[in-house]
Amino acid sequence: MTDTLSAARATDQELDAIFQPVFSRIREGALERERDRRLPFDQIGWLREAGFGRLRVPVRAGGFGVTVDQLARLLIELGAADSNIPQALRGHIGFTEFVLAHPETAYRDHWLAELSAGALVGNAESERAGTFAAQSTRVVEQDGKLLLNGTKYYTTGSIFADWIVVSVLATHPETGEQGFATIQVSAGAAGVSVHDDWDGFGQRLTGSGTAEFVDVEVDPLFLHFRGSEEAGGGIQHAVYQLVHLANLAGIAAAALEEITGFVRSRTRNLFNPGIAPTKDQVSLQIIGETFGTVETVKAAVLAAARTVQQASAAQQEGTAVVGDFSRADAHVFGIQPVVIDQVLRLISRVFEVGGASATSSSRQLDRLWRNARTISSHNPAIYRQQAVGDYVVNCVAPGEALLTLLTAVPAAHSG
């Protein structure tokens, strides 16, 4: 594939002019939405209208044609405004990368047109039991139609979406064998229902609930069988993790902003009443430390994003090799535990400034830790550390190592 994203991609200044006002509007009601558990339908609608969903779509196809690092920078800003929303859009962002790398021109052009027109795509791949190689969700042929049946959990963003990417087991039309595949399904199709029943203590507004599919007729053109050749052959998995990392960096920035505002608003200094709260050395030290951590985390995430962008550019130019994708995966996966540890520590430290006053439920500062902890629990970083170690020592592509884990057939139970 020789299509480049475009030399005329939007600049950072142009992007800021479009999206910063939207981020500000989103930030204004974030605390109240969290307190009242109000899903951000309106806020995601604002982003859709501004074109956030077509950021990575090439300019020639009606998008902004941004680089991966430009996308990561905007995700950090959005995460600082409301960390639920980058995660709600994570499936859409990952699907966009899948489309950009798809080898079939007709398929690619169809979905680029959909994305450019404002379509949002959700995710429905996880199940309660089994692995990606042992899906209970099926696509079967019946009376000349392909019908989808199954139940998915953690279907992040699907409640806001126009289309849903569903992982299934299906019969390959050429080989006749059952295999792991994905299919795009209209969220409004008969037999599709999505529920807001996510019961986690954090990231409550991401729409990560249950999706049910009952005899949903699907288009065979959208059925894609995944093969082992994809193990180290793309940036999609690296981008999926970048969304989480950018979101964590955004939460860290939000913590700095909130604790700074808290100190500025204080009228007394309990332990040293002779010194104004804004001159208290303990507060200034912790805020200085927090600032340094925020900048360090941002820099780490953006550096990893640039490595992913290099692989993306090579992919679009048709010059990419497995090593490009391995370096991208290793960079992203490698910084995950570092970013997680730094952000969680930072959020805990800011309470040292506020004391008991900072724990007031009216401030909802606990949401920062709860949301960061929940994001950090996705796709456990310890497995990615092992994959990176295998890459460093044995030159095994991280994507290959993780695919082996994800598609392993469950061991038979005895007794």
Side-chain angles (χ1 to χ4, degrees), residues 369-404:
W369 186 89
R370 288 188 290 103
N371 290 347
R373 181 63 267 177
T374 301
I375 292 170
S376 301
S377 299
H378 287 279
N379 309 298
I382 194 165
Y383 288 106
R384 297 184 187 279
Q385 281 183 299
Q386 293 177 16
V388 173
D390 205 6
Y391 167 72
V392 173
V393 176
N394 301 310
C395 299
V396 175
E400 180 181 337
L402 289 171
L403 187 68
T404 300

mmCIF file of all heavy atoms in Angstrom, residues 369-404:
data_model
loop_
_atom_site.group_PDB
_atom_site.id
_atom_site.type_symbol
_atom_site.label_atom_id
_atom_site.label_comp_id
_atom_site.label_asym_id
_atom_site.label_seq_id
_atom_site.Cartn_x
_atom_site.Cartn_y
_atom_site.Cartn_z
ATOM 1 N N TRP A 369 -8.176 8.811 41.209
ATOM 2 C CA TRP A 369 -7.502 7.548 41.520
ATOM 3 C C TRP A 369 -8.317 6.368 41.006
ATOM 4 O O TRP A 369 -7.773 5.440 40.406
ATOM 5 C CB TRP A 369 -7.281 7.400 43.033
ATOM 6 C CG TRP A 369 -6.464 6.165 43.345
ATOM 7 C CD1 TRP A 369 -5.109 6.073 43.429
ATOM 8 C CD2 TRP A 369 -6.971 4.839 43.569
ATOM 9 N NE1 TRP A 369 -4.732 4.777 43.694
ATOM 10 C CE2 TRP A 369 -5.851 3.991 43.791
ATOM 11 C CE3 TRP A 369 -8.249 4.289 43.601
ATOM 12 C CZ2 TRP A 369 -5.985 2.634 44.040
ATOM 13 C CZ3 TRP A 369 -8.379 2.921 43.844
ATOM 14 C CH2 TRP A 369 -7.252 2.111 44.067
ATOM 15 N N ARG A 370 -9.635 6.379 41.241
ATOM 16 C CA ARG A 370 -10.478 5.256 40.808
ATOM 17 C C ARG A 370 -10.399 5.058 39.302
ATOM 18 O O ARG A 370 -10.285 3.927 38.812
ATOM 19 C CB ARG A 370 -11.928 5.494 41.233
ATOM 20 C CG ARG A 370 -12.174 5.352 42.732
ATOM 21 C CD ARG A 370 -13.650 5.413 43.082
ATOM 22 N NE ARG A 370 -14.233 6.730 42.909
ATOM 23 C CZ ARG A 370 -15.001 7.104 41.886
ATOM 24 N NH1 ARG A 370 -15.260 6.241 40.905
ATOM 25 N NH2 ARG A 370 -15.497 8.332 41.821
ATOM 26 N N ASN A 371 -10.444 6.163 38.570
ATOM 27 C CA ASN A 371 -10.397 6.049 37.113
ATOM 28 C C ASN A 371 -9.028 5.584 36.626
ATOM 29 O O ASN A 371 -8.923 4.740 35.734
ATOM 30 C CB ASN A 371 -10.768 7.386 36.469
ATOM 31 C CG ASN A 371 -12.245 7.715 36.643
ATOM 32 O OD1 ASN A 371 -13.041 6.861 37.026
ATOM 33 N ND2 ASN A 371 -12.612 8.949 36.378
ATOM 34 N N ALA A 372 -7.963 6.121 37.228
ATOM 35 C CA ALA A 372 -6.611 5.709 36.837
ATOM 36 C C ALA A 372 -6.368 4.238 37.177
ATOM 37 O O ALA A 372 -5.781 3.490 36.393
ATOM 38 C CB ALA A 372 -5.569 6.583 37.521
ATOM 39 N N ARG A 373 -6.836 3.827 38.357
ATOM 40 C CA ARG A 373 -6.651 2.426 38.749
ATOM 41 C C ARG A 373 -7.411 1.481 37.826
ATOM 42 O O ARG A 373 -6.920 0.403 37.469
ATOM 43 C CB ARG A 373 -7.134 2.246 40.195
ATOM 44 C CG ARG A 373 -7.000 0.845 40.782
ATOM 45 C CD ARG A 373 -5.567 0.387 40.865
ATOM 46 N NE ARG A 373 -5.148 -0.370 39.700
ATOM 47 C CZ ARG A 373 -3.927 -0.845 39.498
ATOM 48 N NH1 ARG A 373 -2.969 -0.616 40.381
ATOM 49 N NH2 ARG A 373 -3.635 -1.523 38.427
ATOM 50 N N THR A 374 -8.611 1.876 37.411
ATOM 51 C CA THR A 374 -9.412 1.038 36.519
ATOM 52 C C THR A 374 -8.769 0.930 35.144
ATOM 53 O O THR A 374 -8.677 -0.159 34.576
ATOM 54 C CB THR A 374 -10.842 1.607 36.415
ATOM 55 O OG1 THR A 374 -11.430 1.641 37.717
ATOM 56 C CG2 THR A 374 -11.700 0.746 35.507
ATOM 57 N N ILE A 375 -8.311 2.062 34.607
ATOM 58 C CA ILE A 375 -7.617 2.025 33.314
ATOM 59 C C ILE A 375 -6.382 1.133 33.399
ATOM 60 O O ILE A 375 -6.096 0.350 32.487
ATOM 61 C CB ILE A 375 -7.205 3.453 32.889
ATOM 62 C CG1 ILE A 375 -8.434 4.294 32.572
ATOM 63 C CG2 ILE A 375 -6.272 3.412 31.675
ATOM 64 C CD1 ILE A 375 -8.132 5.768 32.378
ATOM 65 N N SER A 376 -5.671 1.237 34.509
ATOM 66 C CA SER A 376 -4.428 0.468 34.673
ATOM 67 C C SER A 376 -4.673 -1.023 34.799
ATOM 68 O O SER A 376 -3.752 -1.828 34.613
ATOM 69 C CB SER A 376 -3.684 0.962 35.922
ATOM 70 O OG SER A 376 -3.390 2.340 35.819
ATOM 71 N N SER A 377 -5.904 -1.411 35.115
ATOM 72 C CA SER A 377 -6.225 -2.821 35.276
ATOM 73 C C SER A 377 -6.554 -3.505 33.959
ATOM 74 O O SER A 377 -6.650 -4.734 33.903
ATOM 75 C CB SER A 377 -7.411 -2.974 36.244
ATOM 76 O OG SER A 377 -7.092 -2.448 37.512
ATOM 77 N N HIS A 378 -6.739 -2.727 32.899
ATOM 78 C CA HIS A 378 -7.017 -3.315 31.589
ATOM 79 C C HIS A 378 -5.742 -3.923 31.011
ATOM 80 O O HIS A 378 -4.664 -3.330 31.107
ATOM 81 C CB HIS A 378 -7.553 -2.253 30.626
ATOM 82 C CG HIS A 378 -8.959 -1.833 30.915
ATOM 83 N ND1 HIS A 378 -10.047 -2.554 30.518
ATOM 84 C CD2 HIS A 378 -9.453 -0.769 31.590
ATOM 85 C CE1 HIS A 378 -11.161 -1.957 30.915
ATOM 86 N NE2 HIS A 378 -10.812 -0.855 31.578
ATOM 87 N N ASN A 379 -5.878 -5.075 30.366
ATOM 88 C CA ASN A 379 -4.739 -5.682 29.677
ATOM 89 C C ASN A 379 -3.500 -5.653 30.577
ATOM 90 O O ASN A 379 -2.564 -4.885 30.333
ATOM 91 C CB ASN A 379 -4.430 -4.912 28.383
ATOM 92 C CG ASN A 379 -5.686 -4.736 27.538
ATOM 93 O OD1 ASN A 379 -6.281 -5.708 27.091
ATOM 94 N ND2 ASN A 379 -6.099 -3.504 27.333
ATOM 95 N N PRO A 380 -3.469 -6.441 31.627
ATOM 96 C CA PRO A 380 -2.438 -6.317 32.670
ATOM 97 C C PRO A 380 -1.032 -6.081 32.136
ATOM 98 O O PRO A 380 -0.527 -6.822 31.294
ATOM 99 C CB PRO A 380 -2.538 -7.665 33.398
ATOM 100 C CG PRO A 380 -3.967 -8.048 33.242
ATOM 101 C CD PRO A 380 -4.365 -7.587 31.857
ATOM 102 N N ALA A 381 -0.423 -5.013 32.647
ATOM 103 C CA ALA A 381 0.883 -4.594 32.151
ATOM 104 C C ALA A 381 1.959 -5.635 32.400
ATOM 105 O O ALA A 381 2.961 -5.694 31.676
ATOM 106 C CB ALA A 381 1.276 -3.262 32.800
ATOM 107 N N ILE A 382 1.772 -6.475 33.429
ATOM 108 C CA ILE A 382 2.819 -7.442 33.745
ATOM 109 C C ILE A 382 3.042 -8.423 32.603
ATOM 110 O O ILE A 382 4.165 -8.857 32.338
ATOM 111 C CB ILE A 382 2.485 -8.176 35.071
ATOM 112 C CG1 ILE A 382 3.718 -8.917 35.575
ATOM 113 C CG2 ILE A 382 1.285 -9.108 34.915
ATOM 114 C CD1 ILE A 382 3.595 -9.363 37.027
ATOM 115 N N TYR A 383 1.965 -8.768 31.867
ATOM 116 C CA TYR A 383 2.122 -9.652 30.716
ATOM 117 C C TYR A 383 2.886 -8.939 29.596
ATOM 118 O O TYR A 383 3.673 -9.555 28.870
ATOM 119 C CB TYR A 383 0.758 -10.109 30.209
ATOM 120 C CG TYR A 383 0.078 -11.109 31.118
ATOM 121 C CD1 TYR A 383 -1.000 -10.743 31.902
ATOM 122 C CD2 TYR A 383 0.535 -12.428 31.195
ATOM 123 C CE1 TYR A 383 -1.624 -11.648 32.744
ATOM 124 C CE2 TYR A 383 -0.087 -13.342 32.034
ATOM 125 C CZ TYR A 383 -1.161 -12.951 32.804
ATOM 126 O OH TYR A 383 -1.775 -13.849 33.635
ATOM 127 N N ARG A 384 2.639 -7.662 29.466
ATOM 128 C CA ARG A 384 3.337 -6.916 28.417
ATOM 129 C C ARG A 384 4.815 -6.732 28.778
ATOM 130 O O ARG A 384 5.665 -6.715 27.891
ATOM 131 C CB ARG A 384 2.631 -5.576 28.191
ATOM 132 C CG ARG A 384 1.221 -5.794 27.704
ATOM 133 C CD ARG A 384 0.475 -4.534 27.360
ATOM 134 N NE ARG A 384 -0.903 -4.891 27.062
ATOM 135 C CZ ARG A 384 -1.324 -5.376 25.903
ATOM 136 N NH1 ARG A 384 -0.471 -5.543 24.903
ATOM 137 N NH2 ARG A 384 -2.585 -5.695 25.721
ATOM 138 N N GLN A 385 5.108 -6.611 30.057
ATOM 139 C CA GLN A 385 6.509 -6.572 30.466
ATOM 140 C C GLN A 385 7.225 -7.854 30.063
ATOM 141 O O GLN A 385 8.361 -7.824 29.573
ATOM 142 C CB GLN A 385 6.613 -6.379 31.977
ATOM 143 C CG GLN A 385 6.401 -4.951 32.443
ATOM 144 C CD GLN A 385 6.598 -4.829 33.940
ATOM 145 O OE1 GLN A 385 5.896 -5.456 34.718
ATOM 146 N NE2 GLN A 385 7.557 -4.020 34.342
ATOM 147 N N GLN A 386 6.564 -8.990 30.271
ATOM 148 C CA GLN A 386 7.171 -10.263 29.883
ATOM 149 C C GLN A 386 7.416 -10.311 28.380
ATOM 150 O O GLN A 386 8.464 -10.789 27.925
ATOM 151 C CB GLN A 386 6.256 -11.421 30.306
ATOM 152 C CG GLN A 386 6.142 -11.589 31.807
ATOM 153 C CD GLN A 386 5.167 -12.689 32.197
ATOM 154 O OE1 GLN A 386 4.799 -13.521 31.370
ATOM 155 N NE2 GLN A 386 4.747 -12.691 33.447
ATOM 156 N N ALA A 387 6.439 -9.808 27.603
ATOM 157 C CA ALA A 387 6.595 -9.803 26.151
ATOM 158 C C ALA A 387 7.749 -8.899 25.726
ATOM 159 O O ALA A 387 8.515 -9.238 24.809
ATOM 160 C CB ALA A 387 5.292 -9.351 25.494
ATOM 161 N N VAL A 388 7.899 -7.765 26.393
ATOM 162 C CA VAL A 388 9.002 -6.858 26.067
ATOM 163 C C VAL A 388 10.338 -7.502 26.434
ATOM 164 O O VAL A 388 11.320 -7.398 25.685
ATOM 165 C CB VAL A 388 8.821 -5.498 26.784
ATOM 166 C CG1 VAL A 388 10.059 -4.615 26.589
ATOM 167 C CG2 VAL A 388 7.584 -4.778 26.248
ATOM 168 N N GLY A 389 10.378 -8.156 27.574
ATOM 169 C CA GLY A 389 11.608 -8.849 27.960
ATOM 170 C C GLY A 389 11.995 -9.912 26.949
ATOM 171 O O GLY A 389 13.180 -10.066 26.603
ATOM 172 N N ASP A 390 11.010 -10.648 26.444
ATOM 173 C CA ASP A 390 11.270 -11.676 25.434
ATOM 174 C C ASP A 390 11.780 -11.034 24.145
ATOM 175 O O ASP A 390 12.630 -11.594 23.443
ATOM 176 C CB ASP A 390 9.982 -12.453 25.170
ATOM 177 C CG ASP A 390 10.240 -13.868 24.646
ATOM 178 O OD1 ASP A 390 11.417 -14.290 24.603
ATOM 179 O OD2 ASP A 390 9.255 -14.554 24.289
ATOM 180 N N TYR A 391 11.285 -9.842 23.851
ATOM 181 C CA TYR A 391 11.739 -9.119 22.665
ATOM 182 C C TYR A 391 13.187 -8.671 22.830
ATOM 183 O O TYR A 391 14.027 -8.838 21.927
ATOM 184 C CB TYR A 391 10.830 -7.917 22.423
ATOM 185 C CG TYR A 391 11.360 -6.918 21.418
ATOM 186 C CD1 TYR A 391 11.400 -7.218 20.059
ATOM 187 C CD2 TYR A 391 11.824 -5.669 21.835
ATOM 188 C CE1 TYR A 391 11.875 -6.289 19.142
ATOM 189 C CE2 TYR A 391 12.300 -4.743 20.934
ATOM 190 C CZ TYR A 391 12.325 -5.057 19.583
ATOM 191 O OH TYR A 391 12.814 -4.138 18.673
ATOM 192 N N VAL A 392 13.491 -8.091 23.991
ATOM 193 C CA VAL A 392 14.841 -7.572 24.232
ATOM 194 C C VAL A 392 15.875 -8.696 24.238
ATOM 195 O O VAL A 392 16.950 -8.580 23.648
ATOM 196 C CB VAL A 392 14.886 -6.787 25.563
ATOM 197 C CG1 VAL A 392 16.311 -6.389 25.909
ATOM 198 C CG2 VAL A 392 14.003 -5.539 25.479
ATOM 199 N N VAL A 393 15.543 -9.806 24.899
ATOM 200 C CA VAL A 393 16.512 -10.895 25.047
ATOM 201 C C VAL A 393 16.529 -11.826 23.845
ATOM 202 O O VAL A 393 17.599 -12.195 23.344
ATOM 203 C CB VAL A 393 16.210 -11.711 26.327
ATOM 204 C CG1 VAL A 393 17.152 -12.917 26.438
ATOM 205 C CG2 VAL A 393 16.358 -10.820 27.558
ATOM 206 N N ASN A 394 15.325 -12.165 23.335
ATOM 207 C CA ASN A 394 15.242 -13.218 22.323
ATOM 208 C C ASN A 394 14.725 -12.755 20.963
ATOM 209 O O ASN A 394 14.532 -13.580 20.067
ATOM 210 C CB ASN A 394 14.318 -14.341 22.837
ATOM 211 C CG ASN A 394 14.817 -14.937 24.141
ATOM 212 O OD1 ASN A 394 15.989 -15.303 24.254
ATOM 213 N ND2 ASN A 394 13.940 -15.023 25.142
ATOM 214 N N CYS A 395 14.492 -11.449 20.841
ATOM 215 C CA CYS A 395 14.034 -10.865 19.572
ATOM 216 C C CYS A 395 12.680 -11.413 19.123
ATOM 217 O O CYS A 395 12.372 -11.468 17.923
ATOM 218 C CB CYS A 395 15.069 -11.072 18.463
ATOM 219 S SG CYS A 395 16.666 -10.309 18.813
ATOM 220 N N VAL A 396 11.848 -11.841 20.079
ATOM 221 C CA VAL A 396 10.503 -12.298 19.764
ATOM 222 C C VAL A 396 9.590 -11.076 19.679
ATOM 223 O O VAL A 396 9.545 -10.260 20.606
ATOM 224 C CB VAL A 396 9.977 -13.269 20.843
ATOM 225 C CG1 VAL A 396 8.517 -13.652 20.562
ATOM 226 C CG2 VAL A 396 10.847 -14.510 20.903
ATOM 227 N N ALA A 397 8.858 -10.940 18.578
ATOM 228 C CA ALA A 397 7.965 -9.791 18.411
ATOM 229 C C ALA A 397 6.945 -9.757 19.539
ATOM 230 O O ALA A 397 6.281 -10.757 19.806
ATOM 231 C CB ALA A 397 7.245 -9.877 17.068
ATOM 232 N N PRO A 398 6.793 -8.623 20.237
ATOM 233 C CA PRO A 398 5.829 -8.549 21.337
ATOM 234 C C PRO A 398 4.420 -8.922 20.913
ATOM 235 O O PRO A 398 3.687 -9.567 21.659
ATOM 236 C CB PRO A 398 5.912 -7.091 21.785
ATOM 237 C CG PRO A 398 7.289 -6.662 21.403
ATOM 238 C CD PRO A 398 7.577 -7.373 20.113
ATOM 239 N N GLY A 399 4.037 -8.527 19.704
ATOM 240 C CA GLY A 399 2.709 -8.873 19.211
ATOM 241 C C GLY A 399 2.519 -10.369 19.086
ATOM 242 O O GLY A 399 1.445 -10.907 19.367
ATOM 243 N N GLU A 400 3.572 -11.053 18.671
ATOM 244 C CA GLU A 400 3.512 -12.510 18.536
ATOM 245 C C GLU A 400 3.349 -13.166 19.903
ATOM 246 O O GLU A 400 2.551 -14.102 20.082
ATOM 247 C CB GLU A 400 4.789 -13.016 17.861
ATOM 248 C CG GLU A 400 4.842 -14.522 17.668
ATOM 249 C CD GLU A 400 6.148 -14.973 17.010
ATOM 250 O OE1 GLU A 400 6.785 -14.144 16.341
ATOM 251 O OE2 GLU A 400 6.507 -16.149 17.180
ATOM 252 N N ALA A 401 4.095 -12.686 20.892
ATOM 253 C CA ALA A 401 4.018 -13.263 22.234
ATOM 254 C C ALA A 401 2.625 -13.069 22.834
ATOM 255 O O ALA A 401 2.064 -13.992 23.436
ATOM 256 C CB ALA A 401 5.070 -12.620 23.132
ATOM 257 N N LEU A 402 2.047 -11.884 22.643
ATOM 258 C CA LEU A 402 0.730 -11.618 23.210
ATOM 259 C C LEU A 402 -0.361 -12.368 22.472
ATOM 260 O O LEU A 402 -1.323 -12.843 23.079
ATOM 261 C CB LEU A 402 0.448 -10.121 23.195
ATOM 262 C CG LEU A 402 1.275 -9.318 24.187
ATOM 263 C CD1 LEU A 402 1.092 -7.829 23.956
ATOM 264 C CD2 LEU A 402 0.886 -9.664 25.616
ATOM 265 N N LEU A 403 -0.210 -12.526 21.155
ATOM 266 C CA LEU A 403 -1.200 -13.281 20.396
ATOM 267 C C LEU A 403 -1.228 -14.732 20.857
ATOM 268 O O LEU A 403 -2.289 -15.350 20.939
ATOM 269 C CB LEU A 403 -0.890 -13.210 18.898
ATOM 270 C CG LEU A 403 -1.953 -13.822 17.983
ATOM 271 C CD1 LEU A 403 -3.228 -12.997 18.029
ATOM 272 C CD2 LEU A 403 -1.445 -13.925 16.551
ATOM 273 N N THR A 404 -0.065 -15.272 21.191
ATOM 274 C CA THR A 404 0.000 -16.641 21.700
ATOM 275 C C THR A 404 -0.786 -16.774 22.999
ATOM 276 O O THR A 404 -1.511 -17.746 23.209
ATOM 277 C CB THR A 404 1.464 -17.054 21.935
ATOM 278 O OG1 THR A 404 2.172 -16.984 20.688
ATOM 279 C CG2 THR A 404 1.554 -18.476 22.473
#
